[in-house]
């Protein structure tokens, strides 16, 4: 019976202490090994709240100070002394440094369109591969038509087709290769027929090329590369291609957007076609098919690298990063 009474008295005392100062009890009990994480967290929060209240009371006292009621220090009369003030000469005016203008950010060239005949198809396939592998350009498109060019517009109208695909695809760069099917009689825009390679033929063909160049120049295309014909084997092409290349080159001069790329000397030596040529890696191979006009895959790779290098020089493409050598294991 006595033990029970003692237990009741002790319990009453503890409860009285807890309710009289709960925060003190929690902080004291939190330091014991019997306290749970929740009790320890509650004790820390009480301590933090107490600190915040003390800080607020301190700044409230600072703000409540009336500085006008503080005793003023006696003023000390100034002592008059004669001092000579050195007059500094005026500083020369310095020109303000002009901050250099920020360089204009150029929009990257992402879409590449290849237009032409079956020879362009050979070149376009290789260019697609080169742009993807070396320059990470994947948005490319080839639009070609076998046995066409800028001569027989009555057979295939490249003006209408080009306008259509430019509007639909919206390319940044266009690469063109025409000519293999154009050395034939021509009908000019006035309806007159002219024999192949005569002066009137050259004039009529030049009108065809200039009209096509104007179409490209007035479009939203940012850059155009007109690829010249490479040296062939047949006599008709040997006579026609240099004349046609000059017409392409002259048409490109009237536009800052169009640039002519000559390929004649790439496979030529002493005025004749060199059938086996080494590429950039030193690998040798045949560059032309049996007709002396179409490229082999090896020849298309060489011309494709020539075009890609020109685009790098014009900052159309970024220089490819050299492959990283694998780290040697210790």
């Amino acid at each position: 019976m006595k033990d029970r009474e003692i237990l009741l008295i002790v319990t009453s005392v503890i409860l009285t202490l807890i309710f009289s100062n709960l925060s003190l009890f929690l902080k004291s009990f939190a330091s014991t090994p019997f306290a749970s994480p929740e009790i320890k967290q509650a004790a820390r929060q009480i301590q933090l709240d107490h600190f915040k209240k003390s800080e607020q009371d301190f700044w409230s006292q600072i703000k409540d100070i009336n500085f006008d009621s503080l005793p003023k220090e006696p003023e000390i009369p100034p002592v008059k002394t004669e001092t000579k003030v050195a007059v500094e000469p005026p500083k020369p005016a310095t020109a303000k440094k002009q901050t250099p203008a920020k360089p204009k950010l150029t929009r990257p060239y992402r879409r590449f369109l290849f237009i032409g005949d079956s020879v362009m198809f050979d070149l376009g396939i290789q260019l697609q591969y080169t742009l993807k592998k070396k320059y990470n350009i994947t948005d490319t498109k080839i639009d070609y038509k076998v046995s066409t060019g800028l001569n027989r517009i009555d057979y295939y109208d490249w003006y209408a087709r080009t306008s259509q695909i430019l509007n639909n695809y919206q390319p940044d760069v266009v690469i063109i290769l025409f000519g293999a099917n154009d050395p034939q009689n021509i009908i000019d825009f006035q309806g007159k027929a002219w024999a192949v390679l005569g002066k009137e033929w050259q004039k009529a063909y030049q009108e065809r090329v200039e009209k096509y160049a104007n179409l490209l120049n007035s479009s939203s295309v940012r850059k155009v590369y007109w690829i010249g014909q490479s040296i062939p084997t047949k006599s008709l092409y040997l006579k026609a291609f240099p004349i046609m290349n000059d017409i392409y080159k002259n048409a490109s001069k009237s536009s800052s957007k169009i640039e002519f790329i000559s390929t004649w000397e790439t496979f030529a030596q002493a005025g004749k076609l060199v059938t086996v040529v080494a590429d950039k890696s030193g690998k040798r191979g045949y560059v032309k098919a049996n007709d002396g006009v179409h490229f082999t895959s090896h020849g298309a790779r060489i011309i494709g690298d020539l075009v890609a290098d020109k685009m790098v020089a014009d900052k159309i493409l970024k220089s490819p990063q050299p492959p990283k050598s694998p780290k040697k294991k210790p």
Side-chain angles (χ1 to χ4, degrees):
M1 187 67 179
K2 290 183 179 181
D3 293 339
R4 187 175 179 181
E5 291 176 354
I6 294 172
L7 180 61
L8 289 173
I9 294 171
V10 171
T11 304
S12 300
V13 172
I14 293 174
L15 291 173
T16 302
L17 290 174
I18 291 174
F19 287 108
S20 64
N21 198 336
L22 179 61
S23 62
L24 178 62
F25 173 77
L26 282 176
K27 288 189 283 184
S28 300
F29 186 71
S31 61
T32 66
F34 304 103
S36 64
E38 291 79 5
I39 293 177
K40 291 181 178 181
Q41 178 64 28
R44 282 195 294 268
Q45 185 62 40
I46 290 172
Q47 187 177 5
L48 182 60
D49 292 340
H50 177 72
F51 174 78
K52 288 182 178 179
K53 186 176 183 305
S54 301
E55 186 182 29
Q56 290 174 357
D57 293 341
F58 171 77
W59 286 110
S60 298
Q61 292 174 4
I62 294 296
K63 292 176 184 177
D64 293 339
I65 294 176
N66 186 1
F67 289 95
D68 294 333
S69 62
L70 295 177
K72 298 182 180 180
E73 294 182 1
E75 295 183 359
I76 301 175
V79 179
K80 295 182 179 181
T81 57
E82 293 183 0
T83 56
K84 294 182 179 180
V85 180
V87 179
E88 295 183 359
K91 295 181 180 180
T94 56
K96 293 183 179 179
K97 294 183 179 179
Q98 295 181 350
T99 55
K102 294 182 179 180
K104 293 182 179 180
L105 297 177
T106 57
R107 182 164 50 92
Y109 297 84
R110 299 185 183 280
R111 291 186 177 184
F112 290 73
L113 174 65
F114 313 115
I115 292 179
D117 52 25
S118 55
V119 182
M120 167 49 82
F121 176 75
D122 299 332
L123 177 59
I125 291 294
Q126 185 58 49
L127 273 171
Q128 280 185 320
Y129 176 79
T130 300
L131 291 179
K132 182 178 181 180
K133 183 179 179 181
K134 293 184 178 180
Y135 304 96
N136 197 29
I137 300 293
T138 57
D139 198 347
T140 58
K141 186 177 182 64
I142 302 175
D143 195 77
Y144 80 103
K145 182 71 174 177
V146 176
S147 301
T148 64
L150 296 179
N151 187 332
R152 295 292 304 275
I153 302 300
D154 59 317
Y155 170 69
Y156 192 80
D157 190 347
W158 269 111
Y159 303 120
R161 174 55 187 165
T162 300
S163 296
Q164 181 185 31
I165 194 170
L166 290 180
N167 291 331
N168 294 338
Y169 184 57
Q170 295 290 318
D172 296 307
V173 180
V174 175
I175 300 173
I176 299 167
L177 178 54
F178 287 120
N181 303 294
D182 285 343
Q184 55 180 298
N185 296 343
I186 196 170
I187 298 176
D188 62 19
F189 290 130
Q190 289 73 38
K192 295 181 180 180
W194 304 103
V196 60
L197 298 184
K199 289 184 178 180
E200 295 298 333
W201 182 96
Q202 294 181 36
K203 182 180 178 181
Y205 190 70
Q206 182 175 346
E207 290 177 352
R208 291 272 209 282
V209 172
E210 288 177 350
K211 181 179 179 180
Y212 195 77
N214 291 335
L215 186 156
L216 293 166
N217 192 45
S218 60
S219 70
S220 61
V221 177
R222 299 165 63 191
K223 188 67 177 180
V224 178
Y225 291 99
W226 200 308
I227 312 301
Q229 291 291 329
S230 60
I231 188 169
T233 53
K234 295 180 180 180
S235 58
L236 173 62
Y237 292 133
L238 278 170
K239 185 178 180 180
F241 283 173
I243 296 173
M244 296 162 66
N245 283 341
D246 285 341
I247 292 175
Y248 304 146
K249 186 176 181 180
N250 290 332
S252 67
K253 290 179 180 179
S254 60
S255 170
S256 59
K257 189 183 291 186
I258 304 175
E259 190 165 353
F260 177 76
I261 297 181
S262 176
T263 63
W264 188 266
E265 298 297 330
T266 308
F267 303 144
Q269 187 174 0
K272 294 184 179 180
L273 172 67
V274 179
T275 56
V276 178
V277 179
D279 61 13
K280 293 175 70 174
S281 66
K283 182 180 179 181
R284 297 175 62 82
Y286 288 96
V287 296
K288 289 291 186 76
N290 292 333
D291 60 8
V293 175
H294 289 82
F295 300 121
T296 63
S297 58
H298 182 78
R301 186 182 309 115
I302 294 174
I303 300 298
D305 287 341
L306 177 68
V307 176
D309 290 345
K310 187 68 179 70
M311 288 193 285
V312 171
D314 292 342
K315 297 182 179 180
I316 302 295
L317 299 174
K318 293 183 179 180
S319 299
Q321 298 294 328
K324 295 181 179 180
S325 56
K327 295 182 179 179
K328 295 182 179 180
K329 294 182 179 180

